[in-house]
Amino acid sequence: MNHLFVDNLTVIDFAYLDPTRGLVGESWIADVVLGGKLDDQGMVFDFSNVKRTIKRVIDELVDHRLVIPRGYEGLHWDEEAPNTFQWDLTGGGHIEHTSPNEAVVWLSSDRAVPSAVSALLEKELKAVLPGNVTTVEINLREDVIEGAYYHYVHGLKKHLGNCQRIAHGHRSPIRIDRNGHRDHNLEKRWARLWEDIYVGTEEDVTRRYVGEDGTPYISFGYEANQGEFGLTLPESRVYMLETDTTVELIAAHIADVLKTEFPDDEIRVKAYEGVGKGAIAAR
């Protein structure tokens, strides 16, 4: 059998639900290996079609979606409205979510792990690739980050594309410089503060209340061009901004907070949005 590989084909920025961590933002790099017979061109699959076909399927199926493990015992939903559901957290409290169909993807497993997502992608790709391609292997991996990073989830209701989805996320490094020198302690502080966090916009809050178990909750909701979105989380798992939560505004917010703390220092924040992209703010 002949094999063709493409490393770093795409980066999937998405969110998933975990029994303990709750709503988790993630960024996985996708590597692909195709196996099969050579076609009339002497190829397993034309490289020019890799992004056109394989990347498109991967991006459409998982990118900027909320991945939900259907096998988790703490998941509750109505069969007539399967994208409106409740996710119980092992440490107490719960998460509620509602959205259009295209904002979520369901796994048959009880955990959102790379192997389960890869299996879903491989099945979908086998259905659209030519007959000479007999095996598809998707390897999903995290970027190697030297330094501090955090997992965050957000939604951008004003975005015309898939970023409008209320629960998509990223695994993001952060670099902070004070007076021209990298401050690892400040980076670690923000990484701890934003560990598995939902970054919310005050404008999108629809309700604040205390649940029957005594847990304070925040509910968000809005209508965008893909439909209506809603999300409720324990208040302890949310970090609020007065502005929208684009990476540009996130970088600016962190820089403003640090400038207030260190008014005589020069502050430079490089906030990533997943792998290899982001925004810079200097104060």
Side-chain angles (χ1 to χ4, degrees):
M1 183 183 295
N2 302 280
H3 291 87
L4 174 148
F5 72 90
V6 182
D7 289 340
N8 304 298
L9 173 62
T10 190
V11 176
I12 308 171
D13 291 308
F14 67 103
Y16 67 89
L17 285 162
D18 181 86
T20 303
R21 298 171 67 187
L23 194 57
V24 182
E26 189 57 275
S27 300
W28 286 344
I29 300 168
D31 302 325
V32 180
V33 179
L34 305 179
K37 297 179 180 179
L38 300 181
D39 61 15
D40 293 340
Q41 303 176 86
M43 302 177 180
V44 174
F45 193 64
D46 192 334
F47 275 119
S48 65
N49 291 325
V50 169
K51 285 193 175 181
R52 189 181 308 164
T53 302
I54 301 178
K55 183 180 184 301
R56 175 183 57 79
V57 169
I58 293 174
D59 289 347
E60 288 181 357
L61 193 60
V62 182
D63 193 51
H64 284 72
R65 292 194 185 217
L66 174 61
V67 176
I68 310 160
R70 194 187 293 272
Y72 174 53
E73 293 182 352
L75 174 65
H76 311 281
W77 78 93
D78 185 340
E79 289 288 353
E80 295 182 1
N83 292 328
T84 298
F85 63 85
Q86 177 176 305
W87 180 273
D88 294 339
L89 299 165
T90 55
H94 64 269
I95 295 170
E96 298 174 14
H97 176 274
T98 185
S99 73
N101 291 338
E102 61 263 31
V104 301
V105 58
W106 295 88
L107 294 180
S108 58
S109 62
D110 62 353
R111 293 288 191 276
V113 294
S115 59
V117 178
S118 293
L120 177 67
L121 292 171
E122 289 164 3
K123 180 180 178 180
E124 292 293 324
L125 284 168
K126 286 177 183 177
V128 301
L129 292 173
N132 68 298
V133 179
T134 56
T135 64
V136 179
E137 179 184 339
I138 304 292
N139 177 43
L140 300 174
R141 56 185 171 86
E142 294 180 333
D143 187 29
V144 177
I145 298 174
E146 295 181 0
Y149 63 89
Y150 44 75
H151 297 256
Y152 77 96
V153 179
H154 64 155
L156 303 173
K157 71 178 179 185
K158 299 173 185 175
H159 193 268
L160 299 179
N162 293 336
C163 292
Q164 69 185 259
R165 296 169 179 172
I166 200 166
H168 73 277
H170 314 274
R171 175 179 178 264
S172 302
I174 184 170
R175 173 164 180 148
I176 299 173
D177 289 273
R178 283 177 62 195
N179 300 320
H181 299 283
R182 187 169 186 176
D183 193 320
H184 293 280
N185 290 329
L186 286 180
E187 293 172 1
K188 292 176 182 177
R189 186 208 297 179
W190 278 93
R192 287 191 298 268
L193 181 64
W194 278 20
E195 181 181 3
D196 299 338
I197 202 75
Y198 185 81
V199 184
T201 298
E202 195 64 47
E203 180 181 283
D204 299 334
V205 174
T206 58
R207 186 186 179 197
R208 285 182 166 90
Y209 68 98
V210 177
E212 294 180 357
D213 60 353
T215 301
Y217 288 93
I218 300 180
S219 295
F220 301 90
Y222 53 76
E223 184 174 358
N225 63 11
Q226 290 184 3
E228 293 186 1
F229 295 86
L231 182 67
T232 297
L233 306 96
E235 189 176 88
S236 61
R237 296 173 181 266
V238 179
Y239 184 99
M240 294 301 302
L241 295 187
E242 293 293 333
T243 64
D244 288 329
T245 59
T246 65
V247 69
E248 293 91 342
L249 291 170
I250 285 174
H253 171 79
I254 296 173
D256 287 342
V257 170
L258 292 175
K259 186 64 177 178
T260 300
E261 183 178 357
F262 306 104
D264 298 326
D265 293 348
E266 292 184 0
I267 302 294
R268 184 179 185 271
V269 174
K270 187 175 185 180
Y272 284 75
E273 186 182 71
V275 179
K277 64 185 189 300
I280 297 171
R283 299 291 187 268

